[in-house]
Structure formats: C-alpha cells, structure tokens
Amino acid sequence: MLWSLVKIVFFVVLVAALAFGGMFLIDSEGSMDIAFMGFKISLSPIKVVIAVVVLLVAAWLLLKLVGLCVALMKFLLGDETALSRYFDRNRERKGFDAMAEGMMALASGEGRVAMAKASKAEKYLRKPELTNLLTAQAAEMTGDKRKAQEVYRRLVADDRTRFVGVQGMMKHKLEEGDKDTALKLAEKAFALKPKHVEMQDTLLQLQAEKKDWSAARSTLSAKFKHGAIPRDVHKRRDAVLALSEAKGVFETGATVEAQEAAIEANKKSPDLIPAAVMAADEYTRQGKDRQATRILKKAWDVQPHPDLAAAFARIAPDETPNARIKRFAGLVRAKPGHPETKMLMAELQIAAEDFPAARRTLGDLVENSPTARSMTLMAAIERGEGSADAVVRGWLTRALTAPRGPQWMCDKCQTVHVSWEPICASCSAFDTLSWRTPAQSEVSMPAGTEMLPMIVGSDTEVGAQHEQDTDFIEDAIIDEENDKSPTE
C-alpha cells in the first residue's frame, strides 16, 4: 500500500514537471540558428527539444535496422537461427529481468511476487529448467505444497533437473513424516549425484534410522571415498555401524556372523566401549579369555566404564571375592586414581567383607566428587562395619539427591540415555552419545551404576543381591519417614 502511494505521487510530480518544462519552453524567447551548406534553419526552444527527441529515436531505429541487416546477412550466409535469435533477444532480456526480480523477491520473502515473476519469466524464456525451480521455491514459501510437488515432478522428467526434483520431493516426504518414501527418493538422488554431501548425510541418517546397517556402511564408505569425511571420523563411524550390525546379528541368532561382526567392530575402534564389551563377551564364550582380557584392558585405559568391569567379571564368573580383587588389579592398573576405579575396587572389597580397605579405597571421593553410587557404597561400608542405622540412613538419603555421575548423553540435544545406542532416541542424531557427566543431577540412573553390580558371579546371585539391596534402601527410607512423622 505505501509503495503504491509513493509511485502515484512520483507519477504526479513527474507529469507536473514535464508540464512546467513545456510551458517554460513555449514562453521562452529567442531561437537557434543552424547553417549548413548554404541552408539556414531557425528553431525555437520547443522545436529544439522536439528535434533532439526525434534524432534520438532515429538513432535507435538506425541501430535496430543495422542489427536486423547483420542478422539477415548471417542468415543468407548459412546461419539458420540468426533471424530467430535477433527477434528472441528482446524476449530473453525481459525473461531474465523477470527471473532476477523473482529471485530478489524470493530472497526478501515475497513468495507471491516471486510466483508472478516466475510465471512471467516462463512466458518469455520458455526454459522450464530455469523457471520451474524458482516456481517451486516460491510455492513452498507461500505454503502451496501441491503446486510445489507438481513442479518437482516436472523437474524429475528432465534429465538436467532430475536431481533437484527428486531432492525436493524427498524433503516434502520428510516433512510429512513418510520416511520410507523419503528413503527411496534419497537412494535415487544419491545414485544421480553420489558426491553431494547433503544427500550423503540424509541417506545415511535415514538408513541408520531404519537400521539398515549394511547399506549405511556402504553410504559411509562412499562419503569417505569422495572426501566428505576425514579418515579418523570414517573409522569411528564405521565401527559404530559395525557394532550396530553385530547387535542385529546377535538378535537373529547367527553365531558365526555375530562373532565376526563383534570382533570387527572392536578392531575398527578399540575405544568404543559397547564394541569392546561385545567382542570380549564373544571371546569369553569361545573360551579365549586372554583375548577378552586384552580388549577390556585396552578400552579401560582409554575410558574406565562400569560395563567394561562387568564384562571383565564375566570372564571368570565363579572366582572367589579375593581372587577377583587380585585379577581386577591388572585391569585398573593404568587408571588407579580414576573415580570409576576407586568405586569398582571398593565394591570388590565390600564383597570380600574388607570394609576398612573399601573405605580407604574410596578416600575423599564422596567429598570431592560425590555421586549416588559412591554414597551408596559408603552406606554399605558403614553397615558392614556395624555403624548405627541412622548413619546408614544418612548416607542413603544423601545418595537419593546426589548427582548420578557420568551417563550416556547426546552431544547434540543433551538427552540422557540408559544405555548406549547408535542413534539418539530424542533427536535421531547418529553417533552422538558419549559417556560424560550431565550438567544437571536430576537424571535417571544408567545401567551399570546400581549397588554392587559384580560382587557375585552367577546371574541368579546378582539378581538376589540387587533385590536385597533395593529392599534395604526402601526400608531405610521408610524408617526415616516414620522418624519424621508427627505421630512418633
């Protein structure tokens, strides 16, 4: 509305200025004399202006005539398209001007103006490979999904614009939540342009979400082949995919394939904790305890983790508590001061009923880096040493509100996961889970941080011990609430 008013005002001012100028020239006195080869012409000011305008028009017509003559000469000399190019030149200029205006309107967010300019450009240019894309983007901006889909289908029909059309249709399917169709379209687009980085990432993400790990590994290899990712990133992500593929093989019960997949995942990335655990369990099942021990030690040296300790315990499930302490000393030797090492050894010493040693092992961990697990261990130590129930309840109460310590967290959306997964359950990001401490303490306790996860060997004993510990904690909380009740 404001722009229209400005144009009207400008037009009125221009007409007024021309009228004033014409009246000034008519009222002006004097003349201009032109003498040439004996001829003399006298022109009034208004006639001079008219003569200048006529000369300019004549010069423009002369240039056009010269251009037409040149095109005619080229046509006569054998250039069959010379005349058509001459007459189409003006149309192309108007068409490209409309294209430029449409792109500017698209950049400024004026979808309807862009649609109008795209239609005008198509009228003059008759080049749908240029104008269809502008039309599709303008239709998306205005919310006309049906029009955009129709244009993308036309783009698919042309070999030169097929990739753009398939990509546009794929994005529409993703917005609609139809990931199965989007995956098929992504595969077609990838086949058309395997070097396209955005399409590589989209296809890899869709394949990972569908748990087609074999296809995802092929796509990842193509990314590495075309230089889209560095070697170390490719090696890490290929290990994640190999691990995911191994887990799928385990679910189907294919033993030989499971062995190979688990061991391959660990070889590709020895510091990947789930891969190390799976490979060690597989070696243990085969009776290759030395290989399993070597794998777990190597992973522990990089990142101590409860799952690694649990897998190490499964190597010799029937050993005595004292024998287990001696064997675990070799695992934790490289990281003696790590909090995970201290809590692990304290658990083992509690299992051996060496409570003073467990207290010395924990040291000042509960003061400097308190967690629910370390405080629960202190409660077990106090109870083992025969301390009063009030002391035990005090440690358990502090454990309920203490930070849970390191957990599997998504680096992208910060969501906490109970166990490691290749894809974040919240944001669907691939390979973003890392073992670290959340910024907030109000998070769920992950697997592996329950009280004394590896004191005994057999699964039955572990379950019984966990149930006893749970009942003990619940009874302590109930007793504490009764102590605080007004009826006491």
Side-chain angles (χ1 to χ4, degrees):
M1 181 66 71
L2 181 61
W3 177 241
S4 299
L5 181 62
V6 170
K7 290 192 289 186
I8 292 173
V9 171
F10 178 76
F11 177 75
V12 172
V13 171
L14 179 63
V15 171
L18 291 175
F20 178 79
M23 294 176 61
F24 176 79
L25 291 175
I26 292 174
D27 295 339
S28 298
E29 297 180 356
S31 62
M32 177 182 289
D33 297 332
I34 300 176
F36 180 72
M37 296 181 65
F39 294 96
K40 185 177 182 181
I41 303 175
S42 296
L43 298 175
S44 62
I46 187 66
K47 291 181 179 179
V48 171
V49 173
I50 294 173
V52 170
V53 172
V54 170
L55 286 174
L56 291 175
V57 173
W60 180 77
L61 291 175
L62 180 62
L63 290 175
K64 290 291 184 181
L65 183 60
V66 170
L68 179 61
C69 292
V70 171
L72 181 61
M73 288 294 296
K74 290 182 179 179
F75 178 77
L76 295 176
L77 292 174
D79 190 350
E80 298 179 356
T81 62
L83 288 176
S84 62
R85 289 203 310 273
Y86 174 79
F87 289 109
D88 289 343
R89 191 173 300 156
N90 187 47
R91 295 174 59 87
E92 287 183 355
R93 181 182 59 80
K94 292 181 179 180
F96 283 118
D97 287 344
M99 276 285 293
E101 292 172 1
M103 294 175 68
M104 292 298 295
L106 198 65
S108 60
E110 298 176 294
R112 298 190 181 279
V113 175
M115 284 279 286
K117 296 299 181 181
S119 178
K120 182 178 180 182
E122 172 61 23
K123 175 183 175 182
Y124 286 114
L125 293 176
R126 297 189 181 93
K127 293 183 176 180
E129 66 274 10
L130 296 177
T131 56
N132 277 342
L133 182 58
L134 178 62
T135 303
Q137 292 178 340
E140 287 184 349
M141 183 172 289
T142 57
D144 191 350
K145 303 295 184 182
R146 185 189 59 81
K147 178 68 174 178
Q149 285 279 37
E150 177 185 338
V151 176
Y152 281 131
R153 289 191 182 94
R154 293 205 298 266
L155 289 170
V156 171
D158 191 335
D159 291 340
R160 295 169 295 180
T161 59
R162 182 166 296 154
F163 174 79
V164 177
V166 173
Q167 186 184 39
M169 293 175 66
M170 179 202 69
K171 290 181 178 179
H172 270 282
K173 293 301 180 182
L174 286 175
E175 292 175 0
E176 295 172 0
D178 187 0
K179 293 190 176 181
D180 290 337
T181 305
L183 176 59
K184 295 178 181 178
L185 292 170
E187 290 171 347
K188 291 182 179 179
F190 179 73
L192 292 171
K193 281 193 175 182
K195 295 183 180 181
H196 196 274
V197 177
E198 182 183 355
M199 188 54 58
Q200 292 173 350
D201 294 337
T202 302
L203 178 58
L204 179 62
Q205 182 71 30
L206 291 172
Q207 289 170 335
E209 290 182 14
K210 197 174 178 62
K211 296 186 177 180
D212 189 355
W213 309 117
S214 178
R217 293 185 71 181
S218 298
T219 303
L220 186 68
S221 297
K223 284 176 63 68
F224 176 67
K225 178 182 177 182
H226 296 303
I229 54 174
R231 181 179 297 275
D232 57 340
V233 176
H234 168 260
K235 189 176 180 180
R236 158 76 186 193
R237 293 186 175 176
D238 191 42
V240 172
L241 292 173
L243 173 62
S244 304
E245 189 176 11
K247 293 174 69 175
V249 172
F250 272 114
E251 292 172 0
T252 59
T255 306
V256 177
E257 290 81 355
Q259 295 173 5
E260 295 175 352
I263 295 170
E264 180 191 7
N266 177 252
K267 286 181 178 179
K268 287 183 175 295
S269 184
D271 61 334
L272 185 60
I273 293 171
V277 171
M278 185 177 293
D281 284 342
E282 187 55 35
Y283 276 129
T284 301
R285 195 188 65 81
Q286 298 176 20
K288 300 178 180 179
D289 296 347
R290 183 174 297 178
Q291 289 90 330
T293 300
R294 184 173 62 251
I295 286 175
L296 294 173
K297 283 184 177 180
K298 190 173 183 179
W300 186 274
D301 292 348
V302 177
Q303 175 65 67
H305 192 278
D307 291 346
L308 297 174
F312 196 74
R314 289 193 289 269
I315 296 175
D318 299 324
E319 63 188 344
T320 63
N322 290 325
R324 178 159 290 186
I325 292 175
K326 183 177 180 180
R327 189 169 64 88
F328 267 77
L331 174 68
V332 302
R333 186 178 295 114
K335 298 280 186 177
H338 195 279
E340 182 61 39
T341 297
K342 292 182 177 181
M343 289 186 288
L344 169 63
M345 296 307 296
E347 289 180 0
L348 298 177
Q349 288 159 351
I350 290 172
E353 299 184 0
D354 190 353
F355 301 107
R359 185 186 294 273
R360 290 193 301 271
T361 300
L362 283 180
D364 58 355
L365 190 63
V366 291
E367 285 79 20
N368 296 337
S369 182
T371 62
R373 184 179 170 197
S374 63
M375 291 183 178
T376 304
L377 289 172
M378 282 301 301
I381 293 171
E382 295 289 358
R383 183 166 188 176
E385 292 181 339
S387 300
D389 289 345
V391 176
V392 177
R393 286 200 302 269
W395 284 109
L396 293 174
T397 302
R398 291 175 61 185
L400 292 175
T401 57
R404 270 32 177 181
Q407 299 176 88
W408 288 115
M409 283 191 64
C410 177
D411 297 331
K412 185 176 181 181
C413 68
Q414 311 304 316
T415 300
V416 176
H417 293 68
V418 174
S419 60
W420 181 89
E421 295 292 341
I423 299 175
C424 175
S426 178
C427 65
S428 299
F430 174 70
D431 188 26
T432 57
L433 266 63
S434 59
W435 182 254
R436 56 190 177 88
T437 302
Q440 298 178 351
S441 62
E442 294 76 18
V443 291
S444 60
M445 185 176 291
T449 60
E450 291 85 0
M451 175 61 186
L452 310 181
M454 61 195 67
I455 289 177
V456 293
S458 65
D459 294 339
T460 303
E461 291 175 274
V462 171
Q465 179 66 45
H466 176 65
E467 184 177 354
Q468 291 173 9
D469 293 332
T470 303
D471 294 340
F472 167 65
I473 294 173
E474 291 177 352
D475 292 340
I477 295 173
I478 293 172
D479 291 342
E480 183 179 10
E481 291 177 351
N482 292 334
D483 292 341
K484 295 179 180 179
S485 64
T487 60
E488 283 284 324

